[in-house]
Structures are given as C-alpha cells and as structure tokens.
Amino acid sequence: MSQSSSITQIFLLIAGSLCLLLGALGLFLPVLPTTPFWLLTAWCYTKASPKLYQRMMKVPIFGNCIRNYRLYHAISIQNKIISISTLWITILLSIYLVNKLWITILLLIVAAGVTCHLLLFKTLKK
C-alpha cells in the first residue's frame, strides 16, 4: 500500500467517523440531518474499511436506514413519522424557549422544508 493511499484511507476513516457522530447528533438536534451523514459514513467506510462498513450495517438503526435508501430510495413510514414528529416537537420547543420573531420564522421555514423533503421520499412498503 502506498503512502498516499494510506493517507487517503486514514482521511476517509476520520471523515466517516465524524459523519457517523454528526448523524447520531442529528437524532436529537432538529436542524442537523441524520440520513445524509450516515450515507456519507457508509461511502467513506466502503472505500476505507469494509470491516467497519459491515459493522455499521449490522447496527439496526444505521443499517436498516442506509439499506432502505440504497436499495429502494425510500424511507419507512415509521422513520418518517418519528422524524417529522421529533422535528416539530423540538422546533416548537425551541420557538417557545427563544421567543424571537426572526428565529421563529427561520425555524418554521427550516421545519417546513425538512418536512417536505421527507414527505417527498418514497415510503418503503414492507
């Protein structure tokens, strides 16, 4: 293995791990997306460490989400309901706590955009 490919592999492992962490944070932070970061993690791990990719795919929450997207370009109805519900609960809580008009408008625009984005994905039928 050449030195440049080793550096690339290390970079991809670090980038993939960072994306995995950001995706996990996205479960709790309404503005931070989860699925795009997990898809990027899967891509990085596929290139750098097939072993890590396989481990990631065995974790039900990561693996199922990524598998459904890669195979069917769809999101399960359960994930849509959970995502949209969590999004709106946290957005409304944030609006209540911050109570500034411009932030309220911004948060509502973001929430509406993310909701539309999620609803536009095909719903996985099992």
Side-chain angles (χ1 to χ4, degrees):
M1 182 181 284
S2 71
Q3 185 177 3
S4 68
S5 65
S6 291
I7 291 170
T8 302
Q9 186 176 16
I10 291 168
F11 172 77
L12 288 171
L13 287 172
I14 292 170
S17 298
L18 180 61
C19 288
L20 182 65
L21 176 64
L22 289 171
L25 287 173
L27 291 170
F28 307 101
L29 301 173
V31 179
L32 194 63
T34 300
T35 305
F37 284 117
W38 288 348
L39 290 170
L40 192 53
T41 299
W43 183 83
C44 289
Y45 284 178
T46 299
K47 302 290 182 191
S49 173
K51 185 177 179 179
L52 273 178
Y53 174 76
Q54 290 304 320
R55 281 186 61 190
M56 180 183 165
M57 293 303 287
K58 288 181 183 176
V59 176
I61 192 165
F62 300 132
N64 292 337
C65 182
I66 292 166
R67 195 173 298 105
N68 290 339
Y69 182 82
R70 291 182 79 192
L71 292 176
Y72 311 112
H73 297 289
I75 301 173
S76 72
I77 188 69
Q78 179 183 4
N79 283 350
K80 281 186 178 186
I81 291 169
I82 290 170
S83 298
I84 292 170
S85 299
T86 304
L87 169 74
W88 281 99
I89 289 168
T90 55
I91 288 289
L92 292 173
L93 179 63
S94 298
I95 288 170
Y96 174 76
L97 293 174
V98 174
N99 198 21
K100 292 196 184 269
L101 180 61
W102 72 271
I103 293 176
T104 297
I105 293 168
L106 179 66
L107 289 173
L108 289 173
I109 290 169
V110 168
V114 172
T115 300
C116 289
H117 178 73
L118 289 170
L119 292 174
L120 288 173
F121 271 98
K122 291 188 286 187
T123 301
L124 184 66
K125 294 179 174 81
K126 286 192 176 192

